[in-house]
Amino acid sequence: MKNFTYISTLKPTISAILCIFLGLGALSSLTADSTFLHVSFDPTRELYEEINKSFLKAWKAKKGSEFAIQQSHGGSGKQARAVIDGLDADVVSLALSYDIDNISTKSGLIDANWQKKLPNNSVPYYSTIVFLVRKSNPKKIKDWDDIVKSGVSIITPNPKTSGGARWNYLAAYGFAKRKYKSDEKTTEFIKALFKNTSVLDTGARGSTTTFVQRGIGDVLITWENEAKLSLDEEKRSGKNTLEVVYPSESIKAETPVAVVTKTAIEKGNLEKATAYLEFLYSKEGQTIISKHFFRPTDSATAKASAKEFPNIKLFSLSDLGETWDSAQKKHFADAGVFDAIYKTK
């Protein structure tokens, strides 16, 4: 029996299709044998492939039983919407706390105090936002100022559907706000960024495909782990066409996890779900996390893997005077700053 399978939600319509099928009973096999479903965001595919194998091995050694883990990936916001609409996840690992809060408030499936259930406000790992450029960096991109220059083609996902895209946006916004100390100049900076944007994919992995495989764009704004994974894949295939550029500063992108309590209880999976997320904080889990280029929160693992993660000045959402609620309303909600900017692109 396979230990895990994938439900691909990369295409925009798949989550909706899954939810429709769920209502019709076409996915009854997911619950008939208490199959465990983990709903996550785009760039974690490879990470959880290894996490699942290691966790299931540890579970069998401790409990003497086996079960299957099914994995669903897509843009973080779309994944949250799919769970709200009925996709029966036992656990979620999403790109930002707002998406998990959204599931909790709109569906009641996740406990309101979910952030207190696990260490570090239920954030077992984090990342930051960097640039992926063509070999030899022909556009001479070194910092955020460089990507808004005339003639630079940017690839980034759509902040309306992708959690990673919201981190990208806020990393650029934070740089501009801290540099210019002017709301007007900061807005002009963001407007220039999206004026240079060639393609808005629905998720981070789609943007990576556009940049790396389709060869579109001069710079990809992306998760650090996604950029390093692209280099790792190139190395294995004998290619050498890309480089990672670290800006002078970027945002600390915290990526939380939560048990979908009501669903896990209904499916008889609460113990499994809790153990699964706790495994992420174990020494083995944290080592796997660092291996896949996410930054571990455990200090000993972080120290051991420090050479993999260049020292970069990181600012937080709170450093910008924002919470996820305020940032969502101001920047990403309908008629927010992003809508105003993109309509006038």
Side-chain angles (χ1 to χ4, degrees), residues 19-224:
C19 294
I20 292 170
F21 282 178
L22 183 66
L24 296 175
L27 290 183
S28 60
S29 60
L30 290 180
T31 56
D33 59 356
S34 295
T35 300
F36 187 98
L37 178 60
H38 176 187
V39 171
S40 191
F41 63 109
D42 266 340
T44 63
R45 299 165 190 267
E46 294 78 12
L47 166 63
Y48 282 109
E49 178 177 333
E50 186 166 353
I51 286 287
N52 292 349
K53 289 178 180 177
S54 296
F55 170 74
L56 289 168
K57 181 178 179 181
W59 178 270
K60 183 178 179 180
K62 183 177 181 179
K63 298 290 186 177
S65 61
E66 296 180 325
F67 66 96
I69 297 177
Q70 294 203 1
Q71 197 74 25
S72 170
H73 293 274
S76 186
K78 291 185 66 182
Q79 293 292 78
R81 185 74 257 172
V83 175
I84 292 167
D85 288 344
L87 186 59
D88 61 343
D90 296 281
V91 298
V92 292
S93 58
L94 297 176
L96 40 99
S97 60
Y98 177 83
D99 287 334
I100 297 181
D101 280 336
N102 209 24
I103 297 171
S104 177
T105 56
K106 291 186 176 180
S107 71
L109 295 171
I110 295 176
D111 293 342
N113 65 339
W114 63 269
Q115 285 187 300
K116 303 302 181 184
K117 301 284 187 178
L118 291 164
N120 197 38
N121 287 323
S122 292
V123 176
Y125 51 85
Y126 65 99
S127 189
T128 189
I129 304 304
V130 301
F131 308 139
L132 192 63
V133 301
R134 307 297 174 190
K135 188 66 179 178
S136 299
N137 196 3
K139 296 291 184 174
K140 308 302 179 188
I141 293 166
K142 296 181 180 179
D143 211 342
W144 292 99
D145 283 333
D146 297 316
I147 68 173
V148 298
K149 291 178 179 177
S150 178
V152 175
S153 173
I154 297 170
I155 304 298
T156 182
N158 190 335
K160 305 291 280 190
T161 57
S162 167
R166 291 179 217 179
W167 284 119
N168 292 357
Y169 177 109
L170 290 169
Y173 171 83
F175 168 82
K177 183 175 182 178
R178 289 155 66 86
K179 178 176 180 177
Y180 299 118
K181 298 178 174 59
S182 161
D183 289 343
E184 183 178 352
K185 288 184 178 179
T186 299
T187 300
E188 287 302 313
F189 182 88
I190 297 298
K191 187 180 293 185
L193 187 152
F194 283 99
K195 182 179 179 181
N196 278 1
T197 299
S198 303
V199 179
L200 282 180
D201 288 288
T202 59
R205 183 55 58 88
S207 286
T208 302
T209 299
T210 295
F211 186 77
V212 176
Q213 296 182 17
R214 296 174 62 195
I216 298 174
D218 301 308
V219 55
L220 172 69
I221 309 176
T222 190
W223 299 94
E224 176 185 38

Side-chain angles (χ1 to χ4, degrees), residues 212-268:
V212 176
Q213 296 182 17
R214 296 174 62 195
I216 298 174
D218 301 308
V219 55
L220 172 69
I221 309 176
T222 190
W223 299 94
E224 176 185 38
N225 65 286
E226 188 79 350
K228 291 173 77 71
L229 178 62
S230 295
L231 291 191
D232 196 51
E233 290 179 346
E234 278 218 326
K235 184 178 179 180
R236 290 199 301 269
S237 64
K239 296 179 180 179
N240 186 23
T241 66
L242 303 170
E243 293 181 8
V244 177
V245 173
Y246 280 81
S248 60
E249 61 178 355
S250 193
I251 199 163
K252 184 177 182 181
E254 295 185 308
T255 49
V257 300
V259 174
V260 187
T261 313
K262 282 191 176 181
T263 304
I265 290 173
E266 288 175 3
K267 294 165 65 176

